[in-house]
Amino acid sequence: MIAHTLHVDLGERSYPIFIGRELLRDRDLLRRHVGGSQVVLVSNETVAPLYAERVLQALEGCSLVTEVVLPDGEQHKTLASMEHIFDRVLADGHNRTTTFIALGGGVVGDMTGFAAACYQRGVDFIQLPTTLLSQVDSSVGGKTGVNHALGKNMIGAFYQPQAVLIDIDTLQTLPARELAAGLAEVVKYGLICDAGFYQWLLGNMPRLLAREEAALAEAIERSCAAKAAVVAADEREGGLRAILNLGHTFGHAIETHQGYGNWLHGEAVAAGMVLAAKLSAMRGWISDASVAELVDLQLSMGLPVAAPAEMTLEEFRTLMGRDKKVLDGRLRLVLLREIGAATVVDDVTEGELAALLGST
């Protein structure tokens, strides 16, 4: 049952986002976006036992279906996992008409999309995100890739899916920690571009944490609409799209420092958003009360509000210096001019960083 339909407007690369219940069982909806009769279903060891069978049933009638089940976890978002996908696809003889389908969270979606971008120089793919974080963030916008030991998401491509099917039923099996990590990205959209949505989140967070269907559907729809609008205006992050990285430069440094998978992506971003908010307050752009409100909200969600105590200023400098958003040697950070309005700056001083990171 489709509750909401959105559209990512990118000309010939445009695609729909469907949000609703029991979408993984919707044969007609899924097959509508499979261009040929060959399919590669990529999932992981956690998600496949829960949902792969219903997707495979929806794909009955395809001439060739290959199921690839990867290990679960950010630590497996590597070129080695990509090679495993290619080994299976090539061994089974898939051609350029095949469609890759990503069934899982952001790790599966990013790797499947990158594999689709590379296989025979590009084949179709579909996103079936099963975590809240992937539903509101990584499945929309076409960023695909893998991690490297020296930096997160440093190897990848912009490659848009044919469609995104968001089945909110999958959130009922999502661990509470992962639900909270996804909600961090939801909060981000309110902070960067929709103050009204942020106020709604402040009042409705208990409903979201309780997994109320109507509240989840609204939060996902408003988050995806925000991201779709930003991506449509700036597909390849030449300007505006960078605001989607609120908290991410700090967060990626934390993830890399702690070892991929030890902090969830949303947890690291949550800590990073607090750091960005504090830096914004240091510049006089938002109030200390707004920072405190964000901290209280994230604590109510069970999310971290500070970097790991053992991370040094020098470690932050080194790891943030490797971030994709560094341009011509200048560190770019997303800050808040006000709640609901973000800006990208490249003039953060060593003194500001020292004052900020020394206070965490």
Side-chain angles (χ1 to χ4, degrees), residues 38-332:
Q38 299 184 351
V39 173
V40 180
L41 178 64
V42 182
S43 190
N44 66 35
E45 295 169 342
T46 299
V47 174
L50 296 171
Y51 302 116
E53 186 57 36
R54 66 185 66 178
V55 177
L56 292 171
Q57 289 177 358
L59 294 170
E60 286 181 358
C62 290
S63 64
L64 177 60
V65 178
T66 296
E67 182 182 5
V68 182
V69 179
L70 301 172
D72 189 11
E74 186 82 25
Q75 66 271 31
H76 300 292
K77 187 179 174 182
T78 63
L79 287 171
S81 294
M82 287 270 295
E83 189 163 354
H84 178 66
I85 297 173
F86 294 139
D87 288 346
R88 290 292 311 282
V89 174
L90 287 164
D92 286 357
H94 285 262
N95 60 35
R96 286 183 175 177
T97 69
T98 196
T99 298
F100 284 34
I101 299 178
L103 174 67
V107 171
V108 168
D110 282 6
M111 287 197 295
T112 304
F114 190 28
C118 296
Y119 188 68
Q120 299 205 26
R121 298 184 176 87
V123 297
D124 289 347
F125 88 107
I126 298 169
Q127 290 273 20
L128 305 181
T130 60
T131 66
L132 181 60
L133 192 146
S134 61
Q135 290 171 354
V136 301
D137 183 43
S138 58
S139 68
V140 179
K143 280 188 175 181
T144 70
V146 296
N147 298 330
H148 188 278
L150 296 180
K152 183 177 170 68
N153 291 329
M154 296 299 287
I155 304 167
F158 286 97
Y159 198 67
Q160 303 296 342
Q162 298 299 112
V164 181
L165 279 59
I166 298 174
D167 189 336
I168 62 175
D169 289 344
T170 62
L171 300 182
Q172 297 307 315
T173 61
L174 193 65
R177 183 184 174 194
E178 292 195 25
L179 180 73
L183 286 169
E185 290 281 1
V186 174
V187 168
K188 177 193 74 177
Y189 292 111
L191 289 171
I192 64 172
C193 62
D194 192 339
F197 183 36
Y198 185 66
Q199 289 301 312
W200 183 89
L201 289 169
L202 290 172
N204 287 275
M205 190 55 67
R207 296 177 62 208
L208 294 169
L209 292 170
R211 308 182 197 228
E212 289 188 19
E213 181 183 309
L216 286 171
E218 181 168 352
I220 293 168
E221 191 274 336
R222 292 180 75 165
S223 298
C224 288
K227 183 159 189 180
V230 172
V231 170
D234 179 17
E235 181 180 4
R236 292 179 174 265
E237 204 168 295
L240 176 66
R241 182 167 177 164
I243 69 171
L244 296 171
N245 294 315
L246 177 70
H248 283 60
T249 300
F250 293 115
H252 287 171
I254 293 170
E255 284 185 89
T256 303
H257 179 271
Q258 294 293 291
Y260 298 130
N262 290 310
W263 277 50
L264 296 179
H265 174 69
E267 293 171 336
V269 167
M273 289 195 300
V274 172
L275 290 171
K278 286 183 175 181
L279 185 52
S280 302
M282 287 167 54
R283 291 191 165 200
W285 293 346
I286 65 173
S287 67
D288 291 336
S290 292
V291 177
E293 186 175 56
L294 175 61
V295 168
D296 288 344
L297 177 63
Q298 292 191 175
L299 287 174
S300 77
M301 299 157 64
L303 290 169
V305 295
E310 68 272 19
M311 276 192 79
T312 66
L313 174 60
E314 188 56 38
E315 286 171 329
F316 261 108
R317 284 185 184 131
T318 299
L319 292 170
M320 290 196 301
R322 297 174 183 159
D323 193 86
K324 300 188 304 299
K325 292 171 283 299
V326 171
L327 191 64
D328 295 330
R330 298 179 71 88
L331 178 66
R332 294 190 299 163

